Amino acid sequence: MADSTGPISLTVHGAAGRMGRRVVALGMTDSSFHLVGAIDHAQSDHLGKDAGSVAGEAPSGVEISSTWPTLGDQTGPQAVVDFSLPEALDDCLAHCVKVGSPLVVATTGLTDEQKQRLSDAAASIPIVWAPSMSLAVNLSMKIAEQITAALKDVSGGLDVEILERHHRFKADAPSGTALKFGELIAGQLGESTTHVHGREGHTGARTREEIGYHAIRVGDNPGEHTIVFGMLGEKIELNVAASNRDCYASGALAAAKWLIQENKGPGLYSMFDVLGMSDN
């Protein structure tokens, strides 16, 4: 691992996207980081433009490029934050493995094959990957687990429904965060749990083993999840909502700091690890 003293040399992969811009902006105002790279795809209209200016901040002196920066003799800590698209992840993984750079992956909508490649890469480098970088979302996931564990055997049965709202531009549904909520809840309910994505027509009575998912796409909503725990005679609704995208960007930067400051070796880590909430 690199020396963990001094500012972290930060490269943002997907720097011209909505989330990448916020990572650039917040990284520039955080003295723990020194922006050295801003990567976007080869057809991006922002290639050659200053990454800080594209992010709505003062010029950073770093141009957005489709090629990775050469750090030369830089021996201090370095990290890559990936907020791109699933099809761009493989190139990012290959680069980070090649140069030994710690990596934070915040890209959602990954296939099972890509998740396996993440796991393979984590044998060589430290990686934080989570479907949501929000600290509030990850804390809510732990609370959802606890609610499910306490109520799963309640008389009359426990019904769990997951509603998620995102902006109209989001390409995957349900969100990776909604699926992660469902995975954690299913872990408490047991192996017979089934996952139902929306309902239409004469579906019959709801079974006790179902977790229902409902994806809503409206306006510029940056992300909202409501977990409904329904029982006979009462209910609990756990709601977590972002008012802007900075919660995801700041969470990703916190994960990068954690990898460096904790001097983490190769492995696949989660935001639960970053927050000290892991069961491992």
Side-chain angles (χ1 to χ4, degrees):
M1 293 290 291
D3 177 14
S4 59
T5 60
I8 300 166
S9 293
L10 173 66
T11 299
V12 180
H13 185 241
R18 285 185 294 272
M19 282 309 312
R21 295 184 194 196
R22 296 312 302 156
V23 176
V24 168
L26 295 184
M28 287 176 58
T29 61
D30 188 332
S31 61
S32 298
F33 294 99
H34 171 54
L35 184 70
V36 298
I39 310 301
D40 214 68
H41 60 88
Q43 287 74 44
S44 173
D45 293 335
H46 298 286
L47 296 185
K49 297 180 182 179
D50 186 278
S53 299
V54 170
E57 303 294 327
S60 64
V62 175
E63 291 185 352
I64 295 178
S65 174
S66 61
T67 59
W68 292 88
T70 300
L71 299 182
D73 296 329
Q74 202 273 349
T75 58
Q78 54 184 285
V80 173
V81 172
D82 169 65
F83 257 117
S84 60
L85 296 171
E87 54 266 30
L89 180 61
D90 287 349
D91 178 66
C92 182
L93 282 175
H95 169 79
C96 290
V97 169
K98 179 181 177 181
V99 301
S101 179
L103 171 64
V104 176
V105 176
T107 297
T108 61
L110 304 184
T111 65
D112 289 340
E113 291 77 11
Q114 288 174 313
K115 292 175 185 178
Q116 182 58 53
R117 287 195 285 274
L118 263 182
S119 182
D120 293 342
S124 302
I125 58 173
I127 299 175
V128 171
W129 174 69
S132 175
M133 291 287 146
S134 161
L135 306 185
V137 163
N138 283 279
L139 179 58
S140 297
M141 287 177 175
K142 278 296 181 185
I143 295 171
E145 279 189 299
Q146 293 171 341
I147 292 172
T148 307
L151 297 177
K152 64 181 180 180
D153 296 320
V154 68
S155 177
L158 175 68
D159 303 325
V160 181
E161 299 281 313
I162 300 173
L163 293 79
E164 57 99 345
R165 298 173 175 87
H166 281 87
H167 52 86
R168 65 177 65 156
F169 308 103
K170 187 169 178 60
D172 56 310
S175 68
T177 299
L179 294 173
K180 185 63 176 182
F181 267 111
E183 175 189 326
L184 294 171
I185 291 168
Q188 297 296 325
L189 291 176
E191 294 181 357
S192 62
T193 305
T194 59
H195 301 267
V196 177
H197 298 277
R199 295 184 179 88
E200 183 180 5
H202 186 72
T203 60
R206 187 193 199 282
T207 70
R208 294 184 62 172
E209 292 77 24
E210 293 179 12
I211 297 176
Y213 300 82
H214 310 276
I216 300 167
R217 297 292 175 264
V218 287
D220 59 354
N221 192 319
E224 180 176 356
H225 293 80
T226 301
I227 318 303
V228 182
F229 300 90
M231 297 156 282
L232 298 181
E234 57 185 344
K235 68 175 180 178
I236 297 172
E237 289 194 11
L238 177 62
N239 177 265
V240 57
S243 57
N244 60 53
R245 294 181 173 84
D246 284 6
C247 61
Y248 307 119
S250 61
L253 291 171
K257 288 182 189 178
W258 179 80
L259 285 174
I260 300 300
Q261 293 170 357
E262 296 296 322
N263 201 33
K264 289 298 178 181
L268 188 58
Y269 304 98
S270 72
M271 287 301 287
F272 289 167
D273 295 308
V274 176
L275 292 169
M277 299 190 303
S278 176
D279 294 329
N280 296 331

